[in-house]
């Protein structure tokens, strides 16, 4: 075998990639969710974290009680006007990059509660990345929504995330 066709030991183990891809992979596989269970959807969220569905196998099993240690907010349940400022404040306390999952019909569109005290979707308060439909959605649906969020994180770029900052810079 000629010297040209024989790979060196370094070439056999060397993997090249962009730093941004490595950062996205690490973010996607170690998301720390903060629970914000407001109604019956929270029971299904707790079931997803239990041993039968094992949410931890995706790197997101340890639910945080504080926004300062979280990068994912899962809003599960009916959002009222009294609760909206608290949701917004907790979202603002989360470090960047941060993501939001709206879980269930009530969090997505107010559900059957089209009344004076209910906000018709949490996306009127904070930006939502993934919507999980159902009343209440099963734990499998939460896992599928989380996998969609992981795909979104893996394909995101810093330029997309901070597009408004980059567009505002003088040229």
């Amino acid at each position: 075998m000629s010297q040209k066709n024989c790979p060196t030991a370094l070439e056999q183990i060397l993997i090249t990639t962009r730093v941004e891809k490595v950062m996205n992979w690490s973010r996607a596989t170690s998301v720390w969710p903060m629970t914000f269970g407001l109604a019956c959807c929270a029971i299904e969220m707790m079931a997803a974290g239990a041993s039968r569905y094992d949410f931890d196998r995706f790197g997101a099993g340890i639910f945080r009680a504080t926004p300062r240690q979280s990068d994912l907010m899962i809003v599960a349940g009916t959002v009222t006007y009294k609760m909206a400022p608290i949701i917004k404040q907790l979202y603002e306390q989360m470090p960047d990059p941060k993501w939001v999952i709206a879980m269930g019909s009530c969090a997505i569109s107010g559900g059957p509660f089209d009344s004076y005290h209910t906000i018709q979707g949490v996306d009127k308060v904070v930006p939502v990345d993934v919507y999980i439909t159902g009343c209440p959605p099963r734990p499998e649906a939460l896992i599928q929504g989380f996998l969609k969020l992981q795909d979104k994180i893996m394909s995101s770029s810093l330029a997309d995330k901070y597009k408004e900052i980059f567009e505002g810079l003088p040229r």
Side-chain angles (χ1 to χ4, degrees):
M1 192 178 260
S2 70
Q3 191 73 333
K4 191 174 188 178
N5 294 336
C6 182
T8 64
L10 183 61
E11 288 174 343
Q12 290 176 353
I13 61 169
L14 187 64
I15 299 173
T16 59
T17 187
R18 293 185 358 212
V19 172
E20 188 173 45
K21 285 190 175 192
V22 173
M23 292 297 292
N24 286 346
W25 174 82
S26 64
R27 284 184 183 123
T29 56
S30 65
V31 176
W32 289 7
M34 178 183 68
T35 60
F36 206 84
L38 299 169
C40 46
C41 290
I43 301 298
E44 298 298 322
M45 183 172 41
M46 287 185 268
S51 60
R52 180 174 181 157
Y53 297 100
D54 195 19
F55 204 52
D56 197 24
R57 64 188 155 149
F58 303 107
I62 303 173
F63 287 93
R64 303 294 171 181
T66 173
R68 299 193 196 313
Q69 297 176 352
S70 305
D71 48 11
L72 169 64
M73 178 188 283
I74 303 173
V75 180
T78 310
V79 180
T80 62
Y81 280 99
K82 281 188 170 184
M83 195 56 71
I86 297 166
I87 292 174
K88 185 161 182 68
Q89 181 181 12
L90 290 173
Y91 178 79
E92 290 170 352
Q93 290 176 353
M94 292 169 59
D96 283 327
K98 52 191 167 187
W99 300 278
V100 177
I101 292 178
M103 181 178 174
S105 299
C106 294
I108 293 171
S109 64
F113 307 108
D114 188 10
S115 62
Y116 69 94
H117 68 285
T118 305
I119 292 181
Q120 302 303 303
V122 74
D123 55 359
K124 301 204 178 5
V125 182
V126 294
V128 175
D129 297 292
V130 175
Y131 296 92
I132 301 172
T133 60
C135 183
R138 299 277 305 140
E140 296 94 340
L142 177 59
I143 290 171
Q144 182 182 9
F146 183 75
L147 292 174
K148 286 187 184 292
L149 179 68
Q150 281 184 324
D151 291 342
K152 185 175 183 173
I153 294 169
M154 291 289 287
S155 64
S156 68
S157 71
L158 290 175
D160 293 340
K161 190 81 173 158
Y162 299 104
K163 188 175 183 179
E164 64 274 357
I165 295 172
F166 293 137
E167 287 177 353
L169 292 175
R171 294 178 189 219

